[in-house]
PDB file of all heavy atoms in Angstrom:
ATOM      1  N   TYR A  23      69.877 162.543 113.681  1.00 56.00           N
ATOM      2  CA  TYR A  23      68.799 162.980 114.568  1.00 56.00           C
ATOM      3  C   TYR A  23      67.579 163.445 113.781  1.00 56.00           C
ATOM      4  O   TYR A  23      66.457 163.046 114.071  1.00 56.00           O
ATOM      5  CB  TYR A  23      69.268 164.070 115.529  1.00 56.00           C
ATOM      6  CG  TYR A  23      68.249 164.372 116.590  1.00 56.00           C
ATOM      7  CD1 TYR A  23      67.990 163.445 117.593  1.00 56.00           C
ATOM      8  CD2 TYR A  23      67.527 165.556 116.593  1.00 56.00           C
ATOM      9  CE1 TYR A  23      67.047 163.706 118.566  1.00 56.00           C
ATOM     10  CE2 TYR A  23      66.585 165.817 117.563  1.00 56.00           C
ATOM     11  CZ  TYR A  23      66.354 164.888 118.553  1.00 56.00           C
ATOM     12  OH  TYR A  23      65.407 165.150 119.506  1.00 56.00           O
ATOM     13  N   MET A  26      65.910 160.632 112.144  1.00 77.00           N
ATOM     14  CA  MET A  26      65.220 159.840 113.162  1.00 77.00           C
ATOM     15  C   MET A  26      63.947 160.555 113.607  1.00 77.00           C
ATOM     16  O   MET A  26      63.261 160.109 114.499  1.00 77.00           O
ATOM     17  CB  MET A  26      66.132 159.584 114.359  1.00 77.00           C
ATOM     18  CG  MET A  26      67.296 158.667 114.045  1.00 77.00           C
ATOM     19  SD  MET A  26      66.803 157.005 113.657  1.00 77.00           S
ATOM     20  CE  MET A  26      66.373 156.416 115.259  1.00 77.00           C
ATOM     21  N   SER A  28      63.404 163.454 115.052  1.00 84.00           N
ATOM     22  CA  SER A  28      63.479 164.031 116.400  1.00 84.00           C
ATOM     23  C   SER A  28      63.101 163.030 117.481  1.00 84.00           C
ATOM     24  O   SER A  28      62.459 163.353 118.466  1.00 84.00           O
ATOM     25  CB  SER A  28      62.608 165.280 116.481  1.00 84.00           C
ATOM     26  OG  SER A  28      63.031 166.218 115.526  1.00 84.00           O
ATOM     27  N   LEU A  30      61.222 160.276 117.044  1.00 87.00           N
ATOM     28  CA  LEU A  30      60.005 159.507 116.749  1.00 87.00           C
ATOM     29  C   LEU A  30      60.319 158.158 116.113  1.00 87.00           C
ATOM     30  O   LEU A  30      59.718 157.148 116.465  1.00 87.00           O
ATOM     31  CB  LEU A  30      59.080 160.320 115.848  1.00 87.00           C
ATOM     32  CG  LEU A  30      57.688 159.754 115.618  1.00 87.00           C
ATOM     33  CD1 LEU A  30      56.940 159.592 116.939  1.00 87.00           C
ATOM     34  CD2 LEU A  30      56.901 160.669 114.710  1.00 87.00           C
ATOM     35  N   LEU A  31      61.290 158.119 115.202  1.00 85.00           N
ATOM     36  CA  LEU A  31      61.597 156.869 114.501  1.00 85.00           C
ATOM     37  C   LEU A  31      62.545 155.959 115.262  1.00 85.00           C
ATOM     38  O   LEU A  31      62.916 154.902 114.770  1.00 85.00           O
ATOM     39  CB  LEU A  31      62.172 157.180 113.115  1.00 85.00           C
ATOM     40  CG  LEU A  31      61.254 157.944 112.179  1.00 85.00           C
ATOM     41  CD1 LEU A  31      61.932 158.162 110.835  1.00 85.00           C
ATOM     42  CD2 LEU A  31      59.929 157.226 111.998  1.00 85.00           C
ATOM     43  N   SER A  42      53.566 163.225 127.742  1.00 94.00           N
ATOM     44  CA  SER A  42      54.238 163.693 128.962  1.00 94.00           C
ATOM     45  C   SER A  42      55.442 164.592 128.675  1.00 94.00           C
ATOM     46  O   SER A  42      56.213 164.888 129.587  1.00 94.00           O
ATOM     47  CB  SER A  42      54.674 162.496 129.815  1.00 94.00           C
ATOM     48  OG  SER A  42      55.700 161.770 129.168  1.00 94.00           O
ATOM     49  N   PHE A  43      55.588 165.048 127.426  1.00 93.00           N
ATOM     50  CA  PHE A  43      56.663 166.001 127.129  1.00 93.00           C
ATOM     51  C   PHE A  43      56.525 167.206 128.049  1.00 93.00           C
ATOM     52  O   PHE A  43      55.419 167.683 128.314  1.00 93.00           O
ATOM     53  CB  PHE A  43      56.577 166.510 125.690  1.00 93.00           C
ATOM     54  CG  PHE A  43      57.093 165.573 124.630  1.00 93.00           C
ATOM     55  CD1 PHE A  43      56.693 165.738 123.318  1.00 93.00           C
ATOM     56  CD2 PHE A  43      57.979 164.555 124.918  1.00 93.00           C
ATOM     57  CE1 PHE A  43      57.159 164.906 122.314  1.00 93.00           C
ATOM     58  CE2 PHE A  43      58.446 163.712 123.925  1.00 93.00           C
ATOM     59  CZ  PHE A  43      58.043 163.888 122.625  1.00 93.00           C
ATOM     60  N   ALA A  45      56.470 171.107 129.082  1.00 91.00           N
ATOM     61  CA  ALA A  45      55.848 172.233 128.378  1.00 91.00           C
ATOM     62  C   ALA A  45      56.831 172.942 127.454  1.00 91.00           C
ATOM     63  O   ALA A  45      56.429 173.482 126.423  1.00 91.00           O
ATOM     64  CB  ALA A  45      55.270 173.227 129.385  1.00 91.00           C
ATOM     65  N   ASP A  46      58.120 172.911 127.796  1.00 95.00           N
ATOM     66  CA  ASP A  46      59.095 173.611 126.960  1.00 95.00           C
ATOM     67  C   ASP A  46      59.690 172.745 125.843  1.00 95.00           C
ATOM     68  O   ASP A  46      60.563 173.183 125.115  1.00 95.00           O
ATOM     69  CB  ASP A  46      60.209 174.209 127.817  1.00 95.00           C
ATOM     70  CG  ASP A  46      61.016 173.150 128.547  1.00 95.00           C
ATOM     71  OD1 ASP A  46      60.581 171.977 128.618  1.00 95.00           O
ATOM     72  OD2 ASP A  46      62.092 173.507 129.064  1.00 95.00           O
ATOM     73  N   ARG A  51      54.583 171.002 120.337  1.00 92.00           N
ATOM     74  CA  ARG A  51      53.900 171.987 119.477  1.00 92.00           C
ATOM     75  C   ARG A  51      54.097 171.686 117.988  1.00 92.00           C
ATOM     76  O   ARG A  51      53.554 172.374 117.136  1.00 92.00           O
ATOM     77  CB  ARG A  51      54.410 173.394 119.794  1.00 92.00           C
ATOM     78  CG  ARG A  51      54.058 173.833 121.209  1.00 92.00           C
ATOM     79  CD  ARG A  51      54.603 175.200 121.550  1.00 92.00           C
ATOM     80  NE  ARG A  51      56.058 175.344 121.429  1.00 92.00           N
ATOM     81  CZ  ARG A  51      56.946 174.889 122.321  1.00 92.00           C
ATOM     82  NH1 ARG A  51      56.530 174.257 123.394  1.00 92.00           N
ATOM     83  NH2 ARG A  51      58.239 175.083 122.139  1.00 92.00           N
ATOM     84  N   ASN A  52      54.860 170.663 117.673  1.00 92.00           N
ATOM     85  CA  ASN A  52      55.141 170.304 116.288  1.00 92.00           C
ATOM     86  C   ASN A  52      54.008 169.442 115.741  1.00 92.00           C
ATOM     87  O   ASN A  52      53.583 168.485 116.385  1.00 92.00           O
ATOM     88  CB  ASN A  52      56.468 169.549 116.218  1.00 92.00           C
ATOM     89  CG  ASN A  52      56.872 169.195 114.815  1.00 92.00           C
ATOM     90  OD1 ASN A  52      56.277 168.324 114.201  1.00 92.00           O
ATOM     91  ND2 ASN A  52      57.900 169.860 114.320  1.00 92.00           N
ATOM     92  N   PHE A  55      53.910 165.624 115.840  1.00 92.00           N
ATOM     93  CA  PHE A  55      53.684 164.972 117.122  1.00 92.00           C
ATOM     94  C   PHE A  55      52.254 165.205 117.616  1.00 92.00           C
ATOM     95  O   PHE A  55      51.944 164.971 118.776  1.00 92.00           O
ATOM     96  CB  PHE A  55      54.703 165.469 118.157  1.00 92.00           C
ATOM     97  CG  PHE A  55      56.086 164.926 117.921  1.00 92.00           C
ATOM     98  CD1 PHE A  55      56.947 165.524 117.013  1.00 92.00           C
ATOM     99  CD2 PHE A  55      56.529 163.799 118.596  1.00 92.00           C
ATOM    100  CE1 PHE A  55      58.216 165.030 116.781  1.00 92.00           C
ATOM    101  CE2 PHE A  55      57.798 163.288 118.377  1.00 92.00           C
ATOM    102  CZ  PHE A  55      58.649 163.906 117.470  1.00 92.00           C
ATOM    103  N   GLU A  57      47.878 164.964 116.436  1.00 94.00           N
ATOM    104  CA  GLU A  57      46.937 164.323 115.514  1.00 94.00           C
ATOM    105  C   GLU A  57      46.582 165.273 114.393  1.00 94.00           C
ATOM    106  O   GLU A  57      46.558 166.472 114.601  1.00 94.00           O
ATOM    107  CB  GLU A  57      45.682 163.880 116.267  1.00 94.00           C
ATOM    108  CG  GLU A  57      45.921 162.770 117.253  1.00 94.00           C
ATOM    109  CD  GLU A  57      46.479 161.497 116.626  1.00 94.00           C
ATOM    110  OE1 GLU A  57      46.406 161.299 115.393  1.00 94.00           O
ATOM    111  OE2 GLU A  57      47.006 160.678 117.386  1.00 94.00           O
ATOM    112  N   PRO A  58      46.339 164.789 113.205  1.00 95.00           N
ATOM    113  CA  PRO A  58      46.261 163.388 112.792  1.00 95.00           C
ATOM    114  C   PRO A  58      47.605 162.786 112.391  1.00 95.00           C
ATOM    115  O   PRO A  58      47.706 161.567 112.226  1.00 95.00           O
ATOM    116  CB  PRO A  58      45.335 163.429 111.580  1.00 95.00           C
ATOM    117  CG  PRO A  58      45.613 164.753 110.949  1.00 95.00           C
ATOM    118  CD  PRO A  58      45.908 165.693 112.109  1.00 95.00           C
ATOM    119  N   HIS A  62      49.555 158.567 112.101  1.00 94.00           N
ATOM    120  CA  HIS A  62      50.241 158.124 110.882  1.00 94.00           C
ATOM    121  C   HIS A  62      51.702 157.798 111.186  1.00 94.00           C
ATOM    122  O   HIS A  62      52.219 156.753 110.757  1.00 94.00           O
ATOM    123  CB  HIS A  62      50.142 159.223 109.815  1.00 94.00           C
ATOM    124  CG  HIS A  62      50.981 158.950 108.614  1.00 94.00           C
ATOM    125  ND1 HIS A  62      50.618 158.069 107.629  1.00 94.00           N
ATOM    126  CD2 HIS A  62      52.192 159.447 108.253  1.00 94.00           C
ATOM    127  CE1 HIS A  62      51.573 158.034 106.711  1.00 94.00           C
ATOM    128  NE2 HIS A  62      52.522 158.864 107.070  1.00 94.00           N
ATOM    129  N   LEU A  64      53.130 157.037 114.072  1.00 94.00           N
ATOM    130  CA  LEU A  64      53.277 155.867 114.939  1.00 94.00           C
ATOM    131  C   LEU A  64      53.029 154.576 114.163  1.00 94.00           C
ATOM    132  O   LEU A  64      53.655 153.546 114.454  1.00 94.00           O
ATOM    133  CB  LEU A  64      52.351 155.976 116.157  1.00 94.00           C
ATOM    134  CG  LEU A  64      52.752 157.055 117.169  1.00 94.00           C
ATOM    135  CD1 LEU A  64      51.712 157.169 118.273  1.00 94.00           C
ATOM    136  CD2 LEU A  64      54.146 156.795 117.746  1.00 94.00           C
ATOM    137  N   ARG A  65      52.149 154.601 113.160  1.00 94.00           N
ATOM    138  CA  ARG A  65      51.964 153.424 112.290  1.00 94.00           C
ATOM    139  C   ARG A  65      53.241 153.166 111.483  1.00 94.00           C
ATOM    140  O   ARG A  65      53.640 152.015 111.291  1.00 94.00           O
ATOM    141  CB  ARG A  65      50.775 153.610 111.359  1.00 94.00           C
ATOM    142  CG  ARG A  65      49.444 153.403 112.047  1.00 94.00           C
ATOM    143  CD  ARG A  65      48.273 153.306 111.074  1.00 94.00           C
ATOM    144  NE  ARG A  65      48.135 154.460 110.186  1.00 94.00           N
ATOM    145  CZ  ARG A  65      47.445 155.559 110.464  1.00 94.00           C
ATOM    146  NH1 ARG A  65      46.799 155.658 111.606  1.00 94.00           N
ATOM    147  NH2 ARG A  65      47.377 156.554 109.589  1.00 94.00           N
ATOM    148  N   GLU A  68      55.665 151.432 113.647  1.00 94.00           N
ATOM    149  CA  GLU A  68      55.300 150.018 113.788  1.00 94.00           C
ATOM    150  C   GLU A  68      55.779 149.217 112.573  1.00 94.00           C
ATOM    151  O   GLU A  68      56.276 148.099 112.716  1.00 94.00           O
ATOM    152  CB  GLU A  68      53.793 149.856 113.977  1.00 94.00           C
ATOM    153  CG  GLU A  68      53.369 148.451 114.293  1.00 94.00           C
ATOM    154  CD  GLU A  68      54.094 147.836 115.492  1.00 94.00           C
ATOM    155  OE1 GLU A  68      54.366 148.538 116.478  1.00 94.00           O
ATOM    156  OE2 GLU A  68      54.406 146.628 115.422  1.00 94.00           O
ATOM    157  N   LEU A  69      55.668 149.786 111.383  1.00 95.00           N
ATOM    158  CA  LEU A  69      56.174 149.139 110.174  1.00 95.00           C
ATOM    159  C   LEU A  69      57.694 148.959 110.266  1.00 95.00           C
ATOM    160  O   LEU A  69      58.221 147.895 109.926  1.00 95.00           O
ATOM    161  CB  LEU A  69      55.806 149.951 108.939  1.00 95.00           C
ATOM    162  CG  LEU A  69      56.327 149.435 107.606  1.00 95.00           C
ATOM    163  CD1 LEU A  69      55.792 148.037 107.310  1.00 95.00           C
ATOM    164  CD2 LEU A  69      55.957 150.398 106.499  1.00 95.00           C
ATOM    165  N   LEU A  70      58.387 149.970 110.758  1.00 93.00           N
ATOM    166  CA  LEU A  70      59.835 149.850 110.943  1.00 93.00           C
ATOM    167  C   LEU A  70      60.178 148.734 111.922  1.00 93.00           C
ATOM    168  O   LEU A  70      61.137 147.983 111.721  1.00 93.00           O
ATOM    169  CB  LEU A  70      60.430 151.175 111.439  1.00 93.00           C
ATOM    170  CG  LEU A  70      60.383 152.355 110.467  1.00 93.00           C
ATOM    171  CD1 LEU A  70      60.900 153.612 111.147  1.00 93.00           C
ATOM    172  CD2 LEU A  70      61.151 152.061 109.198  1.00 93.00           C
ATOM    173  N   ILE A  73      59.748 145.374 110.105  1.00 96.00           N
ATOM    174  CA  ILE A  73      60.888 145.140 109.219  1.00 96.00           C
ATOM    175  C   ILE A  73      62.103 144.750 110.045  1.00 96.00           C
ATOM    176  O   ILE A  73      62.830 143.811 109.714  1.00 96.00           O
ATOM    177  CB  ILE A  73      61.179 146.386 108.357  1.00 96.00           C
ATOM    178  CG1 ILE A  73      60.027 146.618 107.379  1.00 96.00           C
ATOM    179  CG2 ILE A  73      62.513 146.247 107.619  1.00 96.00           C
ATOM    180  CD1 ILE A  73      60.071 147.962 106.676  1.00 96.00           C
ATOM    181  N   ASP A  78      66.336 141.108 112.693  1.00 98.00           N
ATOM    182  CA  ASP A  78      66.909 141.117 114.043  1.00 98.00           C
ATOM    183  C   ASP A  78      67.609 142.431 114.365  1.00 98.00           C
ATOM    184  O   ASP A  78      68.724 142.455 114.889  1.00 98.00           O
ATOM    185  CB  ASP A  78      67.866 139.934 114.226  1.00 98.00           C
ATOM    186  CG  ASP A  78      68.139 139.644 115.694  1.00 98.00           C
ATOM    187  OD1 ASP A  78      67.257 139.928 116.538  1.00 98.00           O
ATOM    188  OD2 ASP A  78      69.241 139.151 116.003  1.00 98.00           O
ATOM    189  N   GLU A  83      67.381 151.250 113.902  1.00 92.00           N
ATOM    190  CA  GLU A  83      68.410 150.778 112.974  1.00 92.00           C
ATOM    191  C   GLU A  83      67.869 150.695 111.549  1.00 92.00           C
ATOM    192  O   GLU A  83      68.589 150.991 110.592  1.00 92.00           O
ATOM    193  CB  GLU A  83      68.948 149.422 113.428  1.00 92.00           C
ATOM    194  CG  GLU A  83      69.801 149.530 114.680  1.00 92.00           C
ATOM    195  CD  GLU A  83      70.151 148.191 115.277  1.00 92.00           C
ATOM    196  OE1 GLU A  83      69.240 147.358 115.477  1.00 92.00           O
ATOM    197  OE2 GLU A  83      71.351 147.966 115.541  1.00 92.00           O
ATOM    198  N   VAL A  84      66.604 150.327 111.399  1.00 92.00           N
ATOM    199  CA  VAL A  84      65.983 150.309 110.072  1.00 92.00           C
ATOM    200  C   VAL A  84      65.923 151.730 109.520  1.00 92.00           C
ATOM    201  O   VAL A  84      66.249 151.973 108.348  1.00 92.00           O
ATOM    202  CB  VAL A  84      64.580 149.671 110.111  1.00 92.00           C
ATOM    203  CG1 VAL A  84      63.876 149.802 108.767  1.00 92.00           C
ATOM    204  CG2 VAL A  84      64.652 148.210 110.526  1.00 92.00           C
ATOM    205  N   ILE A  86      67.861 154.270 110.251  1.00 86.00           N
ATOM    206  CA  ILE A  86      69.222 154.692 109.910  1.00 86.00           C
ATOM    207  C   ILE A  86      69.673 154.029 108.610  1.00 86.00           C
ATOM    208  O   ILE A  86      70.251 154.680 107.738  1.00 86.00           O
ATOM    209  CB  ILE A  86      70.199 154.386 111.056  1.00 86.00           C
ATOM    210  CG1 ILE A  86      69.899 155.289 112.249  1.00 86.00           C
ATOM    211  CG2 ILE A  86      71.648 154.563 110.599  1.00 86.00           C
ATOM    212  CD1 ILE A  86      70.615 154.901 113.516  1.00 86.00           C
ATOM    213  N   TRP A  88      67.836 153.031 106.150  1.00 85.00           N
ATOM    214  CA  TRP A  88      67.129 153.672 105.037  1.00 85.00           C
ATOM    215  C   TRP A  88      67.812 155.001 104.698  1.00 85.00           C
ATOM    216  O   TRP A  88      68.031 155.317 103.536  1.00 85.00           O
ATOM    217  CB  TRP A  88      65.663 153.894 105.382  1.00 85.00           C
ATOM    218  CG  TRP A  88      64.904 154.442 104.216  1.00 85.00           C
ATOM    219  CD1 TRP A  88      64.239 153.732 103.262  1.00 85.00           C
ATOM    220  CD2 TRP A  88      64.753 155.824 103.870  1.00 85.00           C
ATOM    221  NE1 TRP A  88      63.691 154.583 102.335  1.00 85.00           N
ATOM    222  CE2 TRP A  88      63.995 155.872 102.679  1.00 85.00           C
ATOM    223  CE3 TRP A  88      65.192 157.008 104.424  1.00 85.00           C
ATOM    224  CZ2 TRP A  88      63.661 157.064 102.054  1.00 85.00           C
ATOM    225  CZ3 TRP A  88      64.866 158.205 103.795  1.00 85.00           C
ATOM    226  CH2 TRP A  88      64.101 158.224 102.626  1.00 85.00           C
ATOM    227  N   LEU A  90      70.911 155.926 105.220  1.00 83.00           N
ATOM    228  CA  LEU A  90      72.217 155.702 104.604  1.00 83.00           C
ATOM    229  C   LEU A  90      72.095 155.255 103.152  1.00 83.00           C
ATOM    230  O   LEU A  90      72.976 155.528 102.335  1.00 83.00           O
ATOM    231  CB  LEU A  90      73.015 154.676 105.400  1.00 83.00           C
ATOM    232  CG  LEU A  90      73.489 155.142 106.780  1.00 83.00           C
ATOM    233  CD1 LEU A  90      74.097 153.979 107.552  1.00 83.00           C
ATOM    234  CD2 LEU A  90      74.468 156.289 106.651  1.00 83.00           C
ATOM    235  N   PRO A  94      70.488 162.439 100.461  1.00 69.00           N
ATOM    236  CA  PRO A  94      69.787 163.587  99.879  1.00 69.00           C
ATOM    237  C   PRO A  94      70.143 163.753  98.401  1.00 69.00           C
ATOM    238  O   PRO A  94      71.255 163.451  97.991  1.00 69.00           O
ATOM    239  CB  PRO A  94      70.287 164.780 100.690  1.00 69.00           C
ATOM    240  CG  PRO A  94      70.794 164.191 101.963  1.00 69.00           C
ATOM    241  CD  PRO A  94      71.274 162.803 101.617  1.00 69.00           C
ATOM    242  N   SER A  99      75.050 161.660  92.602  1.00 47.00           N
ATOM    243  CA  SER A  99      75.645 162.035  91.322  1.00 47.00           C
ATOM    244  C   SER A  99      74.554 162.069  90.274  1.00 47.00           C
ATOM    245  O   SER A  99      73.776 161.127  90.135  1.00 47.00           O
ATOM    246  CB  SER A  99      76.717 161.004  90.934  1.00 47.00           C
ATOM    247  OG  SER A  99      77.147 161.250  89.621  1.00 47.00           O
TER     248      SER A  99
END
Side-chain angles (χ1 to χ4, degrees):
Y23 189 70
M26 292 294 286
S28 302
L30 189 59
L31 299 181
S42 68
F43 282 160
D46 63 346
R51 295 178 302 283
N52 183 288
F55 287 83
E57 293 301 343
H62 171 78
L64 290 175
R65 283 192 303 272
E68 187 54 38
L69 177 61
L70 293 175
I73 293 168
D78 198 29
E83 289 170 310
V84 173
I86 291 169
W88 185 91
L90 291 172
S99 171

